[in-house]
Amino acid sequence: MLDKNIYKKALFIRRVEETFLELFSKGKINGTVHTCIGQEISAICALKYIDFENDFVVSNHRCHGHFLAYCDNAKGLIAELMGKITGVCAGIGSSQHLQYKNFFSNGIQGGILPLSAGISLSEKLNKSKKVVVVFIGDGTLGEGAVYESLNIISKWKLPILIVLENNFYAQSTNQKDTLAGSIKERFGAFGIKTIESSVWDEDNLIINSKKSIEFVKNNLLPCAHIIDSYRLSPHSKGDDLRDNKEILSFTKKDPLERFKLSNFNLYENYLKEINDEINLIIEEVNAEGSLNYNQYVGKYDGNNSHSFVEGKELQKIYGKLINEYFINKLNDDNKTLFIGEDVLSPYGGAFKIADKLSELYPEQVFTTPISELSITGIGNGLSINGYKPYIEIMFGDFLGLTFDQILNHASKFFHMYNKKITCPIVIRTPMGGGRGYGPTHSQSIEKFFLGIDNFKVIALNLFINPLVIYENIHSIDSPVLVIENKLDYTRVLDYNFINFYNFEISNGKFPITKLTPKFISPKVTLVSYGGNSKLITEAMEKLLIEHEISIELFFLSSISPLIGADINEILISTEKTGKLITLEEGSTNAGFGSEVISIIAQKSKNHLKYFKLGAEPVPIPSQIQLEKKALPNLDSLIDSILKI
């Protein structure tokens, strides 16, 4: 039998979990509660031999037991679930989303494994010998993120202990109905050492817990520890459809139940002491306040005006300038990393932005499997632990595979963990058609990422040196998606027509370019971004020469969030012209143009004519004539301006 103090700690965890269910029934807890009743010994043994000051613990939606096994901050946990400001995340994260010291949890199944890999990689780069313990459940084995991550964890020899708590159910579904093959063999397929235990053989469990963590620490290699257990409580509050006879049979063999029978008086003494402690915590927490709404939301950028300077012509091919930025940045900052598929020399990535990087900085450049979801999650883990990773997604179309790590991880960490954690990952990708690559390699899908809170979408363009924008991106703490139009990589913009326009660039971090006619008043306000610069400048020149129609152009760098000062400049222009056209790279349904027009229409004092222009709402075809028609083109842009 285990040390009696382990049973006491397990009983403490159980009583905290039971208290949460009681508090929920009384309306004292908002949301949901996923308890680990029946699995407490698993968490305590798995973490018993870690370095609590330095090692990392990453958990899932059923995280309370892991949290209490990691630290003694029961008051912080209870206050968190009761929505109090003294909670570990001031009541924001509540039951599933905890962050304290080196403990992180999130409620998205599978998504924590690439995050753990990123944290582990950061410590491996630091040469610190700190390890990561990550808890997953058997239900998580249905997620693709798990297998993408296991492959990288094994291949990169990351010091991670994966604790798989096998309680035989995914919510209410029995494992036999959803899981094929052997759990152990899944890890074995990736060459990961695997150890098996159960909570019903405590002595073997503690031996194997020590063996598994020592293997990781001594070899700096991954290990999986599968711990069979049984959840005696419902999945969350009361959604339990399991057979009562089955639950009763596991209750009888429950480690705490057996400890109670063999040590009744000691158990009762523990129980009274624990109940007194928890009741005192509840009493203290009840008297505490909650986070103020303004404290949570914070203040937004109040800058509503720009100053402009005269624009300058670019002297180099655009793709070379981006490559030059990374050559310089990797040299200047050893915490900057470049990660992506096929990025090693001599290939240097599909569009050669990584050219020579791995030759010059081999320890900062990582080529990866085809695992967009996982490498984005790894970037998140690196970001929250002091690194600045630039994740290259080979084609923008593949961003859909990264969406969970952007929406449910990168964009939420800052607020979810009460502003204690930043996640300055940079995801960069080429978008756009015009090369005949067809439906899955030509779409501009940026609109699906617009409006994600605490997430910036920046579109590079030929008007502004990308070194300037990337330097500003490097300095901010929030996650960023950078769009680079693939046709622009080989271009230098022809500025000859600008003799007829004032060419100005604003002074913001993500500058707006403004082209204003010198000699006649503008007839139309045009707003665009990204790879449309070449098309627009051709149209502006033709309209001016052939139709004597001048355009006032606003070319944005930040397309989400839309910057207040940018919007005000556009508004000033539309008040003069009364006409607004937006041009986006993708289709216009629920996209950039809709957002710009709706904001301007709300603010405008005058009648406004407006029109959205973009790609056709179909996959971009490969056939050359069809592709030209499907994408925004010179004829459609000029026709729209003439008609408005």
Side-chain angles (χ1 to χ4, degrees), residues 16 19 94 148 158 170 175 196 204 225 229 256 332 363 401 421 447 480 490 505 543 569 588 623:
V16 169
T19 299
S94 194
E148 289 187 21
L158 299 180
Q175 184 182 109
E196 293 182 289
N204 188 53
H225 187 184
S229 62
L256 275 177
D332 295 342
E363 294 186 358
L401 298 165
I421 297 296
K447 68 180 178 182
V480 180
T490 57
I505 296 174
L543 284 163
E569 291 290 337
T588 61
Q623 200 275 339

Side-chain angles (χ1 to χ4, degrees), residues 251-423:
T251 301
K252 290 178 179 178
K253 60 188 290 192
D254 170 51
L256 275 177
E257 189 66 24
R258 287 188 283 107
F259 177 75
K260 177 182 177 180
L261 291 174
S262 59
N263 299 270
F264 183 77
N265 290 335
L266 182 59
Y267 178 92
E268 289 296 311
N269 289 337
Y270 284 166
L271 185 61
K272 183 180 185 310
E273 182 183 335
I274 288 167
N275 284 338
D276 288 345
E277 182 179 349
I278 292 173
N279 289 335
L280 181 61
I281 291 173
I282 299 291
E283 186 178 336
E284 292 175 355
V285 169
N286 266 326
E288 292 167 349
S290 300
L291 187 69
N292 179 277
Y293 176 76
N294 289 331
Q295 289 176 291
Y296 174 59
V297 174
K299 293 182 179 179
Y300 295 100
D301 180 15
N303 180 22
N304 290 315
S305 62
H306 277 311
S307 62
F308 287 87
V309 296
E310 185 179 352
K312 296 180 180 179
E313 294 187 30
L314 300 177
Q315 301 299 319
K316 292 184 178 180
I317 293 173
Y318 207 73
K320 295 289 187 183
L321 286 169
I322 300 173
N323 173 249
E324 181 181 311
Y325 168 79
F326 286 111
I327 288 174
N328 293 335
K329 186 54 66 177
L330 291 173
N331 180 66
D332 295 342
D333 181 5
N334 62 10
K335 293 286 188 178
T336 297
L337 306 176
F338 195 100
I339 301 172
E341 300 161 8
D342 286 312
V343 297
L344 297 186
S345 296
Y347 189 66
F351 295 95
K352 310 307 177 190
I353 300 303
D355 186 37
K356 304 268 191 318
L357 295 185
S358 64
E359 295 175 16
L360 296 169
Y361 313 104
E363 294 186 358
Q364 293 168 258
V365 179
F366 295 83
T367 196
T368 73
I370 301 173
S371 302
E372 289 84 0
L373 185 157
S374 186
I375 63 176
T376 304
I378 287 170
N380 287 336
L382 289 160
S383 295
I384 66 174
N385 204 35
Y387 280 81
K388 188 76 173 186
Y390 288 81
I391 309 297
E392 177 173 290
I393 303 300
M394 187 181 289
F395 284 85
D397 310 67
F398 308 161
L399 278 174
L401 298 165
T402 73
F403 197 77
D404 176 63
Q405 282 295 327
I406 291 172
L407 179 66
N408 285 316
H409 296 79
S411 72
K412 291 183 179 176
F413 287 146
F414 178 67
H415 286 97
M416 188 167 80
Y417 295 144
N418 193 28
K419 305 178 183 178
K420 296 183 291 180
I421 297 296
T422 59
C423 185

Side-chain angles (χ1 to χ4, degrees), residues 82 102 131 142 171 245 349 365 369 380 399 427 472 475 573 618 635:
M82 292 182 70
N102 284 350
V131 304
Q171 192 157 333
K245 291 181 180 178
V365 179
N380 287 336
L399 278 174
I427 304 157
N472 288 326
S475 69
S573 178
V618 294
D635 290 340

Side-chain angles (χ1 to χ4, degrees), residues 45 100 120 175 194 226 268 289 305 351 374 456 467 526 530 535 597:
C45 292
Y100 179 72
S120 180
Q175 184 182 109
T194 308
I226 301 168
E268 289 296 311
S305 62
F351 295 95
S374 186
K456 296 185 184 300
L467 276 70
L526 177 58
L535 168 63
I597 289 171

Side-chain angles (χ1 to χ4, degrees), residues 310-311 498-504 514-519:
E310 185 179 352
I498 292 178
N499 289 330
F500 300 100
Y501 286 85
N502 291 313
F503 171 33
E504 298 176 305
K514 182 166 72 169
L515 296 181
T516 306
K518 289 181 178 179
F519 308 115

Side-chain angles (χ1 to χ4, degrees), residues 134-146:
V134 55
F135 288 89
I136 63 174
D138 54 297
T140 310
L141 293 175
E143 290 286 349
V146 170

